[in-house]
Amino acid sequence: MEDKIRELLSYYFKDHSHCKMKPVPFGLTNLTRIIEVNDVKYIARIYNRHTKSKESLELEARITSYLNHANLSFQVPAFLSTHKGDEYVELPDGTLGVMVSFIEGSVPALSEESHAAEFGRVVGEMSAVLSTVATEKLAYKGQAFSNFYSLHPLADRDAVQTFFAQPPFSISDGELTFYTEMVESIESAESVLNELPWQLVHHDLLVFNLLTKNHHICGVLDFDFIAMDARCMELAICLNHVLQLTDGSWRMLEAFVKSYAAFCKSSAQEIVQLRHLTRIYHIALLHIYIGQHYAGVPIESNFTYILNQFRDRDRWLKEHEQPLKTLLDSYWL
Protein backbone atom coordinates (compact mmCIF):
# COMPACT_ATOMS: atom_id res chain seq x y z
CA MET A 1 0.00 0.00 0.00
CA GLU A 2 2.76 2.42 0.93
CA ASP A 3 4.53 1.63 -2.35
CA LYS A 4 1.39 2.71 -4.20
CA ILE A 5 1.39 6.07 -2.40
CA ARG A 6 5.09 6.57 -3.15
CA GLU A 7 4.39 5.84 -6.80
CA LEU A 8 1.76 8.59 -6.73
CA LEU A 9 4.20 11.02 -5.08
CA SER A 10 6.65 10.59 -7.94
CA TYR A 11 4.20 12.42 -10.23
CA TYR A 12 4.25 15.47 -7.94
CA PHE A 13 7.67 15.72 -6.29
CA LYS A 14 11.12 15.24 -7.82
CA ASP A 15 12.51 14.09 -4.48
CA HIS A 16 10.10 12.44 -2.07
CA SER A 17 12.56 10.01 -0.47
CA HIS A 18 12.47 11.86 2.84
CA CYS A 19 8.73 12.47 3.04
CA LYS A 20 6.83 11.52 6.18
CA MET A 21 3.71 9.41 5.82
CA LYS A 22 0.90 9.01 8.37
CA PRO A 23 -2.45 7.19 8.34
CA VAL A 24 -5.69 9.16 8.57
CA PRO A 25 -8.78 8.62 10.77
CA PHE A 26 -10.95 8.59 7.64
CA GLY A 27 -10.72 7.20 4.11
CA LEU A 28 -12.18 3.70 4.52
CA THR A 29 -13.20 3.50 0.86
CA ASN A 30 -9.99 4.89 -0.62
CA LEU A 31 -6.31 4.54 0.28
CA THR A 32 -5.50 7.86 1.99
CA ARG A 33 -2.39 9.15 3.76
CA ILE A 34 -1.15 12.41 5.27
CA ILE A 35 2.12 13.31 3.54
CA GLU A 36 4.67 15.79 4.84
CA VAL A 37 7.25 17.11 2.37
CA ASN A 38 9.64 19.94 3.36
CA ASP A 39 7.51 20.64 6.46
CA VAL A 40 4.32 21.06 4.38
CA LYS A 41 1.42 18.63 4.81
CA TYR A 42 -0.71 17.23 2.00
CA ILE A 43 -3.30 14.50 1.53
CA ALA A 44 -2.45 11.70 -0.91
CA ARG A 45 -5.33 9.53 -2.12
CA ILE A 46 -5.58 6.44 -4.32
CA TYR A 47 -9.21 5.89 -5.30
CA ASN A 48 -11.15 2.66 -5.22
CA ARG A 49 -11.59 1.75 -8.90
CA HIS A 50 -15.27 0.89 -8.34
CA THR A 51 -16.25 4.23 -6.84
CA LYS A 52 -14.33 6.85 -8.83
CA SER A 53 -14.28 7.59 -12.54
CA LYS A 54 -12.28 10.17 -14.47
CA GLU A 55 -15.49 12.12 -15.11
CA SER A 56 -16.43 12.32 -11.43
CA LEU A 57 -12.85 13.19 -10.44
CA GLU A 58 -12.72 16.00 -13.00
CA LEU A 59 -16.07 17.29 -11.71
CA GLU A 60 -14.77 17.26 -8.14
CA ALA A 61 -11.59 19.12 -9.15
CA ARG A 62 -13.59 21.77 -11.02
CA ILE A 63 -16.08 22.35 -8.20
CA THR A 64 -13.48 22.50 -5.42
CA SER A 65 -11.49 24.97 -7.51
CA TYR A 66 -14.62 27.12 -7.83
CA LEU A 67 -15.23 26.93 -4.09
CA ASN A 68 -11.64 27.86 -3.31
CA HIS A 69 -12.24 31.17 -5.10
CA ALA A 70 -15.64 31.83 -3.53
CA ASN A 71 -14.53 33.63 -0.34
CA LEU A 72 -16.15 31.08 1.96
CA SER A 73 -15.88 31.07 5.76
CA PHE A 74 -14.28 27.60 5.55
CA GLN A 75 -11.74 25.81 3.37
CA VAL A 76 -12.13 22.93 0.95
CA PRO A 77 -9.27 20.75 -0.36
CA ALA A 78 -7.40 22.21 -3.35
CA PHE A 79 -6.07 19.82 -5.99
CA LEU A 80 -2.31 19.99 -6.58
CA SER A 81 -0.94 19.90 -10.12
CA THR A 82 1.43 17.16 -11.23
CA HIS A 83 4.75 17.84 -12.96
CA LYS A 84 2.82 17.91 -16.23
CA GLY A 85 0.12 20.22 -14.90
CA ASP A 86 -2.56 17.53 -14.54
CA GLU A 87 -5.10 17.56 -11.71
CA TYR A 88 -4.95 13.81 -11.15
CA VAL A 89 -2.86 10.76 -12.00
CA GLU A 90 -3.84 7.57 -13.76
CA LEU A 91 -1.44 4.92 -12.52
CA PRO A 92 -0.25 2.07 -14.80
CA ASP A 93 -2.81 -0.34 -13.32
CA GLY A 94 -5.65 2.07 -14.16
CA THR A 95 -6.35 3.36 -10.65
CA LEU A 96 -6.69 7.11 -10.12
CA GLY A 97 -4.80 9.18 -7.58
CA VAL A 98 -4.56 12.78 -6.40
CA MET A 99 -2.71 15.06 -4.05
CA VAL A 100 -4.73 17.76 -2.31
CA SER A 101 -4.04 20.43 0.28
CA PHE A 102 -4.15 19.54 3.96
CA ILE A 103 -6.59 21.37 6.25
CA GLU A 104 -5.77 21.43 9.95
CA GLY A 105 -8.61 20.61 12.33
CA SER A 106 -10.59 17.92 14.12
CA VAL A 107 -14.04 16.39 13.67
CA PRO A 108 -16.62 18.72 15.27
CA ALA A 109 -18.92 17.67 18.06
CA LEU A 110 -22.69 17.76 17.76
CA SER A 111 -23.74 17.77 21.40
CA GLU A 112 -24.78 21.38 22.08
CA GLU A 113 -27.09 23.87 20.39
CA SER A 114 -24.11 25.99 19.38
CA HIS A 115 -22.67 22.97 17.54
CA ALA A 116 -25.94 22.42 15.67
CA ALA A 117 -26.09 26.11 14.77
CA GLU A 118 -22.52 26.02 13.45
CA PHE A 119 -23.35 22.92 11.41
CA GLY A 120 -26.45 24.61 9.97
CA ARG A 121 -24.42 27.68 9.03
CA VAL A 122 -21.89 25.65 7.05
CA VAL A 123 -24.53 23.52 5.30
CA GLY A 124 -26.50 26.63 4.38
CA GLU A 125 -23.42 28.47 3.13
CA MET A 126 -22.31 25.47 1.05
CA SER A 127 -25.74 24.99 -0.48
CA ALA A 128 -26.00 28.68 -1.30
CA VAL A 129 -22.63 28.85 -3.07
CA LEU A 130 -23.21 25.59 -4.99
CA SER A 131 -26.39 27.16 -6.39
CA THR A 132 -24.22 29.75 -8.16
CA VAL A 133 -22.20 27.23 -10.21
CA ALA A 134 -22.91 27.50 -13.95
CA THR A 135 -23.94 23.86 -14.26
CA GLU A 136 -24.97 24.22 -17.90
CA LYS A 137 -21.26 24.36 -18.71
CA LEU A 138 -20.48 21.05 -16.99
CA ALA A 139 -19.84 18.11 -19.29
CA TYR A 140 -20.61 15.66 -16.48
CA LYS A 141 -22.95 16.42 -13.60
CA GLY A 142 -22.61 13.37 -11.37
CA GLN A 143 -25.36 10.99 -10.29
CA ALA A 144 -28.45 12.19 -8.46
CA PHE A 145 -29.30 9.95 -5.51
CA SER A 146 -32.67 9.22 -7.14
CA ASN A 147 -30.66 7.23 -9.74
CA PHE A 148 -30.04 4.70 -7.00
CA TYR A 149 -29.33 1.83 -9.40
CA SER A 150 -26.45 3.81 -10.94
CA LEU A 151 -24.52 4.96 -7.86
CA HIS A 152 -22.18 1.96 -7.80
CA PRO A 153 -21.12 0.00 -10.89
CA LEU A 154 -21.69 -3.30 -9.07
CA ALA A 155 -25.18 -2.41 -7.78
CA ASP A 156 -27.46 -2.17 -10.79
CA ARG A 157 -31.08 -3.32 -10.55
CA ASP A 158 -30.29 -6.99 -11.15
CA ALA A 159 -27.47 -7.02 -8.59
CA VAL A 160 -29.65 -5.37 -5.95
CA GLN A 161 -32.49 -7.83 -6.55
CA THR A 162 -30.05 -10.74 -6.29
CA PHE A 163 -28.69 -9.35 -3.01
CA PHE A 164 -32.13 -9.18 -1.39
CA ALA A 165 -33.19 -12.54 -2.84
CA GLN A 166 -30.18 -14.19 -1.18
CA PRO A 167 -28.88 -11.85 1.56
CA PRO A 168 -25.31 -12.61 2.72
CA PHE A 169 -26.42 -11.96 6.31
CA SER A 170 -29.68 -11.95 8.24
CA ILE A 171 -32.33 -9.47 7.05
CA SER A 172 -35.78 -10.03 8.56
CA ASP A 173 -38.95 -10.39 6.50
CA GLY A 174 -40.19 -7.14 8.02
CA GLU A 175 -37.06 -5.31 6.91
CA LEU A 176 -37.31 -6.76 3.41
CA THR A 177 -40.96 -5.71 3.19
CA PHE A 178 -40.13 -2.21 4.42
CA TYR A 179 -37.34 -1.80 1.86
CA THR A 180 -39.59 -3.01 -0.97
CA GLU A 181 -42.38 -0.64 0.05
CA MET A 182 -39.98 2.30 0.19
CA VAL A 183 -38.59 1.62 -3.30
CA GLU A 184 -42.11 1.27 -4.68
CA SER A 185 -43.11 4.57 -3.07
CA ILE A 186 -40.25 6.34 -4.84
CA GLU A 187 -40.72 4.67 -8.22
CA SER A 188 -44.46 5.42 -8.20
CA ALA A 189 -43.80 9.14 -7.72
CA GLU A 190 -40.98 9.86 -10.20
CA SER A 191 -42.56 13.13 -11.34
CA VAL A 192 -42.22 14.65 -7.86
CA LEU A 193 -38.52 15.39 -8.29
CA ASN A 194 -39.04 17.09 -11.65
CA GLU A 195 -41.21 19.70 -9.92
CA LEU A 196 -38.49 20.70 -7.44
CA PRO A 197 -35.53 23.10 -7.95
CA TRP A 198 -32.24 21.37 -8.82
CA GLN A 199 -28.65 22.39 -8.23
CA LEU A 200 -25.31 20.84 -7.26
CA VAL A 201 -25.50 18.95 -3.97
CA HIS A 202 -22.57 17.74 -1.84
CA HIS A 203 -24.56 14.69 -0.61
CA ASP A 204 -22.18 13.86 2.26
CA LEU A 205 -22.13 16.93 4.52
CA LEU A 206 -21.86 14.97 7.75
CA VAL A 207 -19.81 16.00 10.77
CA PHE A 208 -17.31 13.25 9.91
CA ASN A 209 -16.47 15.18 6.74
CA LEU A 210 -16.02 18.52 8.53
CA LEU A 211 -13.08 19.99 10.43
CA THR A 212 -13.24 22.40 13.33
CA LYS A 213 -10.72 24.66 15.01
CA ASN A 214 -11.36 26.97 17.98
CA HIS A 215 -15.06 25.98 18.00
CA HIS A 216 -15.45 27.09 14.36
CA ILE A 217 -15.93 24.76 11.39
CA CYS A 218 -12.95 25.52 9.18
CA GLY A 219 -13.02 22.77 6.57
CA VAL A 220 -15.39 20.74 4.41
CA LEU A 221 -14.05 17.49 2.93
CA ASP A 222 -15.08 14.58 0.69
CA PHE A 223 -16.74 15.77 -2.50
CA ASP A 224 -16.92 12.23 -3.92
CA PHE A 225 -20.71 12.37 -4.33
CA ILE A 226 -21.03 15.93 -5.69
CA ALA A 227 -23.82 15.92 -8.30
CA MET A 228 -26.86 17.69 -9.64
CA ASP A 229 -29.88 16.75 -7.54
CA ALA A 230 -33.01 18.18 -6.01
CA ARG A 231 -31.83 21.24 -4.07
CA CYS A 232 -33.54 20.17 -0.86
CA MET A 233 -31.73 16.81 -0.82
CA GLU A 234 -28.86 18.49 1.05
CA LEU A 235 -31.27 19.67 3.75
CA ALA A 236 -32.94 16.25 3.99
CA ILE A 237 -29.58 14.52 4.45
CA CYS A 238 -28.36 16.95 7.10
CA LEU A 239 -31.65 17.05 9.03
CA ASN A 240 -31.46 13.27 9.21
CA HIS A 241 -27.89 13.54 10.50
CA VAL A 242 -28.83 15.99 13.26
CA LEU A 243 -31.76 13.84 14.36
CA GLN A 244 -29.64 10.67 14.31
CA LEU A 245 -26.75 12.09 16.34
CA THR A 246 -28.92 13.95 18.88
CA ASP A 247 -31.58 11.27 19.45
CA GLY A 248 -34.26 13.42 17.84
CA SER A 249 -33.57 16.57 19.88
CA TRP A 250 -35.99 19.32 18.85
CA ARG A 251 -33.75 22.04 20.33
CA MET A 252 -30.80 20.90 18.24
CA LEU A 253 -32.97 20.62 15.16
CA GLU A 254 -34.26 24.17 15.54
CA ALA A 255 -30.75 25.54 16.13
CA PHE A 256 -29.62 23.88 12.90
CA VAL A 257 -32.61 25.13 10.90
CA LYS A 258 -32.29 28.71 12.14
CA SER A 259 -28.64 28.97 11.04
CA TYR A 260 -29.28 27.18 7.74
CA ALA A 261 -32.14 29.55 6.94
CA ALA A 262 -29.82 32.56 7.13
CA PHE A 263 -28.35 31.35 3.80
CA CYS A 264 -31.05 29.24 2.13
CA LYS A 265 -34.81 29.34 1.81
CA SER A 266 -36.93 26.38 0.78
CA SER A 267 -40.27 26.43 -0.99
CA ALA A 268 -43.45 25.01 0.52
CA GLN A 269 -43.27 22.20 -2.05
CA GLU A 270 -39.74 21.27 -0.98
CA ILE A 271 -40.73 21.16 2.67
CA VAL A 272 -43.62 18.82 1.88
CA GLN A 273 -41.25 16.44 0.05
CA LEU A 274 -38.61 16.11 2.80
CA ARG A 275 -39.82 12.65 3.78
CA HIS A 276 -39.75 11.55 0.12
CA LEU A 277 -36.18 12.86 -0.28
CA THR A 278 -35.07 11.21 2.97
CA ARG A 279 -36.34 7.89 1.65
CA ILE A 280 -34.30 8.34 -1.54
CA TYR A 281 -31.21 9.14 0.53
CA HIS A 282 -31.43 5.94 2.57
CA ILE A 283 -32.12 3.74 -0.45
CA ALA A 284 -29.09 5.29 -2.16
CA LEU A 285 -26.86 4.47 0.82
CA LEU A 286 -28.10 0.88 0.97
CA HIS A 287 -27.38 0.41 -2.73
CA ILE A 288 -23.87 1.85 -2.38
CA TYR A 289 -23.21 -0.65 0.42
CA ILE A 290 -24.54 -3.47 -1.78
CA GLY A 291 -22.04 -2.42 -4.45
CA GLN A 292 -19.27 -2.48 -1.85
CA HIS A 293 -20.38 -5.98 -0.84
CA TYR A 294 -19.92 -7.20 -4.40
CA ALA A 295 -16.51 -5.51 -4.43
CA GLY A 296 -15.48 -7.67 -1.47
CA VAL A 297 -15.97 -5.17 1.37
CA PRO A 298 -17.63 -6.35 4.65
CA ILE A 299 -20.81 -4.29 4.94
CA GLU A 300 -23.06 -6.02 7.47
CA SER A 301 -22.68 -3.56 10.36
CA ASN A 302 -22.98 -0.43 8.20
CA PHE A 303 -25.84 -1.83 6.12
CA THR A 304 -27.78 -2.87 9.21
CA TYR A 305 -27.18 0.50 10.87
CA ILE A 306 -28.52 2.42 7.84
CA LEU A 307 -31.51 0.12 7.41
CA ASN A 308 -32.46 0.60 11.08
CA GLN A 309 -31.92 4.35 10.78
CA PHE A 310 -34.11 4.37 7.67
CA ARG A 311 -37.05 2.78 9.51
CA ASP A 312 -36.63 5.02 12.56
CA ARG A 313 -36.38 8.18 10.48
CA ASP A 314 -39.36 7.42 8.28
CA ARG A 315 -41.44 6.75 11.39
CA TRP A 316 -40.21 9.96 13.03
CA LEU A 317 -40.98 12.08 9.97
CA LYS A 318 -44.48 10.65 9.80
CA GLU A 319 -45.15 11.28 13.50
CA HIS A 320 -43.70 14.81 13.43
CA GLU A 321 -44.89 15.86 9.98
CA GLN A 322 -46.99 18.84 11.09
CA PRO A 323 -44.72 20.30 13.81
CA LEU A 324 -41.70 19.96 11.48
CA LYS A 325 -43.56 21.75 8.69
CA THR A 326 -44.56 24.50 11.14
CA LEU A 327 -40.94 24.91 12.27
CA LEU A 328 -39.58 25.11 8.74
CA ASP A 329 -42.37 27.44 7.58
CA SER A 330 -41.60 29.80 10.47
CA TYR A 331 -38.09 30.42 9.12
CA TRP A 332 -38.61 30.21 5.37
CA LEU A 333 -42.09 31.27 4.34
Side-chain angles (χ1 to χ4, degrees):
M1 291 297 186
E2 306 301 329
D3 289 344
K4 196 106 173 177
I5 292 290
R6 291 190 180 280
E7 183 180 9
L8 175 66
L9 293 180
S10 69
Y11 288 82
Y12 291 89
F13 304 103
K14 292 181 179 179
D15 182 11
H16 56 83
S17 57
H18 301 294
C19 77
K20 299 177 183 178
M21 193 179 306
K22 298 179 182 177
V24 295
F26 52 86
L28 296 179
T29 302
N30 306 305
L31 173 60
T32 307
R33 294 289 185 271
I34 298 173
I35 304 297
E36 187 172 333
V37 180
N38 298 325
D39 297 323
V40 179
K41 291 181 180 178
Y42 306 92
I43 295 292
R45 180 171 294 117
I46 305 290
Y47 288 97
N48 183 306
R49 64 174 63 242
H50 293 298
T51 59
K52 202 68 173 177
S53 66
K54 292 180 183 179
E55 292 82 6
S56 64
L57 189 50
E58 288 166 1
L59 174 63
E60 182 179 345
R62 181 165 181 177
I63 299 306
T64 53
S65 176
Y66 180 87
L67 295 174
N68 270 300
H69 293 87
N71 195 31
L72 297 170
S73 67
F74 50 84
Q75 295 177 279
V76 302
F79 279 57
L80 274 66
S81 296
T82 67
H83 296 312
K84 296 181 178 180
D86 298 323
E87 292 175 317
Y88 64 91
V89 172
E90 183 175 6
L91 296 173
D93 65 358
T95 54
L96 303 173
V98 298
M99 293 281 294
V100 299
S101 59
F102 177 84
I103 303 172
E104 197 75 53
S106 57
V107 175
L110 193 57
S111 57
E112 300 176 8
E113 288 181 52
S114 60
H115 300 156
E118 180 72 357
F119 182 38
R121 177 189 66 79
V122 169
V123 175
E125 188 177 355
M126 176 63 78
S127 190
V129 73
L130 286 177
S131 72
T132 66
V133 177
T135 54
E136 68 277 3
K137 297 179 180 180
L138 297 175
Y140 175 74
K141 300 180 183 181
Q143 290 285 354
F145 271 17
S146 53
N147 297 328
F148 42 66
Y149 291 110
S150 302
L151 295 173
H152 195 290
L154 301 181
D156 60 12
R157 187 181 293 270
D158 289 342
V160 170
Q161 290 176 348
T162 298
F163 177 90
F164 282 108
Q166 297 180 317
F169 45 82
S170 178
I171 301 176
S172 71
D173 290 343
E175 290 169 334
L176 289 171
T177 299
F178 171 78
Y179 164 81
T180 301
E181 290 175 348
M182 292 299 98
V183 172
E184 290 175 351
S185 77
I186 300 304
E187 294 184 332
S188 65
E190 288 185 29
S191 61
V192 167
L193 294 180
N194 297 329
E195 299 168 1
L196 301 178
W198 281 53
Q199 66 165 65
L200 284 172
V201 173
H202 183 285
H203 283 121
D204 208 13
L205 273 179
L206 312 180
V207 294
F208 316 113
N209 289 326
L210 304 177
L211 295 171
T212 187
K213 199 172 183 180
N214 299 323
H215 309 292
H216 177 81
I217 294 177
C218 60
V220 174
L221 310 175
D222 201 348
F223 288 77
D224 273 355
F225 294 112
I226 188 83
M228 286 290 291
D229 208 334
R231 176 178 67 182
C232 212
M233 180 62 77
E234 201 87 273
L235 176 64
I237 291 170
C238 295
L239 282 179
N240 171 76
H241 194 51
V242 172
L243 291 168
Q244 184 69 16
L245 294 189
T246 66
D247 197 25
S249 168
W250 198 263
R251 292 183 302 103
M252 298 285 277
L253 183 66
E254 184 166 8
F256 171 88
V257 168
K258 183 177 181 181
S259 291
Y260 177 92
F263 293 89
C264 294
K265 306 293 181 184
S266 295
S267 66
Q269 191 174 23
E270 287 176 296
I271 292 172
V272 168
Q273 296 302 333
L274 276 174
R275 188 179 178 199
H276 182 81
L277 294 170
T278 305
R279 287 178 173 181
I280 292 173
Y281 169 61
H282 284 95
I283 294 169
L285 290 183
L286 292 175
H287 285 199
I288 290 169
Y289 282 129
I290 290 171
Q292 291 181 340
H293 161 71
Y294 285 118
V297 178
I299 67 162
E300 181 175 357
S301 60
N302 288 335
F303 185 94
T304 302
Y305 177 86
I306 293 300
L307 185 54
N308 289 335
Q309 176 185 276
F310 190 1
R311 299 182 77 179
D312 291 343
R313 190 66 56 245
D314 199 67
R315 186 185 309 114
W316 190 96
L317 290 171
K318 180 180 180 180
E319 293 173 352
H320 296 83
E321 180 179 8
Q322 191 52 52
L324 179 61
K325 182 178 182 302
T326 300
L327 171 65
L328 298 177
D329 286 351
S330 70
Y331 285 105
W332 293 334
L333 302 181

